[in-house]
Amino acid sequence: MASDTARLRAIISVAGEIAATRLDPAAIVELVRARAVELTGADAGEIELAGPAGAAGAAQEGPPGHAASEMAVPLRHRDATVGVLRVSAAAPGAFHPDDRETLNLLS
C-alpha cells in the first residue's frame, strides 16, 4: 500500500491525465479503470456505465477467474449515479479501507 501522500498525488495526477484525453469518454473510462487497478493493487477492474433506456457500456481488463475480493463504488456525475467502478483480486482480503477511499476519489 502506498503512503497517503503518494496515493493522493497519484489521484490528483489523474485529473491532468483526463484533461490530456481531450475529454474523450472512452479514454476517460479506460484511464479511471486502469488507475483504480494500479492504485488498489487489484488484479482486474471494470467500469459499467448505465446509458439511456437501460443501455450499458463497460470497460474491463484483467485475468479471468474467480475473485475472492471485490470492491465497488458508484460513479456519480452531478447528482446522478451513472455507473459502477469495480476492482477485484484473486486473493482473499486483498483490499484495505484506504482502497475504498481511493475508488471514491477516482469516481
Side-chain angles (χ1 to χ4, degrees):
M1 177 176 51
S3 74
D4 286 345
T5 302
R7 180 175 58 91
L8 290 174
R9 283 184 180 150
I11 292 167
I12 290 167
S13 75
V14 172
E17 292 176 86
I18 287 173
T21 69
R22 298 185 186 227
L23 303 180
D24 172 50
I28 292 169
V29 166
E30 174 53 25
L31 174 65
V32 170
R33 186 212 58 79
R35 292 301 174 265
V37 168
E38 176 186 328
L39 292 171
T40 62
D43 295 326
E46 174 183 27
I47 291 181
E48 186 173 342
L49 298 174
Q60 66 183 46
E61 185 173 287
H66 175 71
S69 299
E70 185 174 272
M71 185 176 286
V73 298
L75 285 174
R76 302 209 31 97
H77 178 67
R78 297 189 178 143
D79 292 330
T81 298
V82 297
V84 176
L85 170 58
R86 180 181 299 112
V87 292
S88 60
F95 301 114
H96 185 275
D98 287 348
D99 293 326
R100 179 165 304 283
E101 182 180 351
T102 297
L103 294 181
N104 279 321
L105 290 170
L106 286 171
S107 68

